[in-house]
Amino acid sequence: MENKKTKGIQDPTTGRMTGSEKNITPEELLKAFEDYEIHVKQNPKIKEYPNTKTDSIIRLNMEVPLTKTGFMVYLSKNKITGNSRDILYNRDGRYQEFKEVNEYIDSVTYDDQLSGAIAGVFNNNVVIRNLGLTDKQEVKTEQKIEIDFGED
């Protein structure tokens, strides 16, 4: 992985910027992802259940799965980088130096969601759909319809 921040791409003939400044290195992106992991696991969602026997509310901490979208929100909210979608999805092939980090992020988020769903921590139906693991069946039915107008 390269350890330099790259600047925007400028067209030498027109002087027009044809790309945006990346303002982050692959190492910084990896560090930000590791910080995101810690943040997510230390900040569960709170689910409230009414307890009719005691007329109170039971609050349960619900673990949150790691997601690429959540990471993009984290990057933006913490002003780490404003073009996270371009970087994480390698828009126009301009972010090749982030390939290893992106593969790592994909693997970790996939594993966290899948293992959480298997263990029953996360809703397995939602996770399986999100990861594209649903069974799809194509059902074809052929039916021939004969109409008799009673004209014999």
Side-chain angles (χ1 to χ4, degrees):
M1 288 187 284
E2 296 176 33
N3 193 17
K4 63 176 182 155
K5 292 185 181 184
T6 54
K7 299 289 181 193
I9 304 163
Q10 188 172 19
D11 186 323
T13 56
T14 65
R16 203 174 88 191
M17 295 301 287
T18 59
S20 60
E21 186 174 312
K22 294 177 185 167
N23 73 1
I24 191 169
T25 66
E27 291 78 14
E28 290 169 331
L29 186 68
L30 179 59
K31 172 71 172 107
F33 181 73
E34 291 167 348
D35 293 344
Y36 162 73
E37 281 184 279
I38 293 166
H39 171 77
V40 167
K41 298 308 175 181
Q42 288 181 348
N43 292 285
K45 297 283 186 191
I46 309 297
K47 190 169 188 175
E48 295 183 345
Y49 292 99
N51 184 343
T52 54
K53 290 182 181 179
T54 62
D55 197 30
S56 63
I57 304 264
I58 299 171
R59 289 180 175 84
L60 297 176
N61 290 340
M62 306 295 288
E63 185 177 339
V64 177
L66 301 173
T67 65
K68 230 174 170 175
T69 303
F71 182 47
M72 287 188 286
V73 170
Y74 176 85
L75 291 171
S76 179
K77 185 177 179 182
N78 291 290
K79 296 179 178 27
I80 295 169
T81 184
N83 59 345
S84 59
R85 179 170 293 281
D86 293 347
I87 293 169
L88 293 172
Y89 291 99
N90 193 14
R91 187 179 69 144
D92 300 330
R94 295 185 322 188
Y95 300 89
Q96 283 301 114
E97 67 268 30
F98 294 91
K99 185 178 180 194
E100 280 181 48
V101 176
N102 286 336
E103 288 172 354
Y104 175 77
I105 290 168
D106 286 341
S107 297
V108 171
T109 55
Y110 185 96
D111 178 64
D112 184 64
Q113 292 175 40
L114 184 62
S115 61
I118 290 169
V121 176
F122 309 134
N123 182 314
N124 60 358
N125 291 328
V126 172
V127 170
I128 286 170
R129 251 184 271 127
N130 188 40
L131 297 178
L133 300 174
T134 56
D135 282 336
K136 294 181 182 178
Q137 288 184 349
E138 186 174 321
V139 178
K140 288 185 179 182
T141 57
E142 290 186 31
Q143 195 172 26
K144 185 176 181 180
I145 299 174
E146 292 185 25
I147 300 174
D148 183 9
F149 292 105
E151 297 175 13
D152 288 337

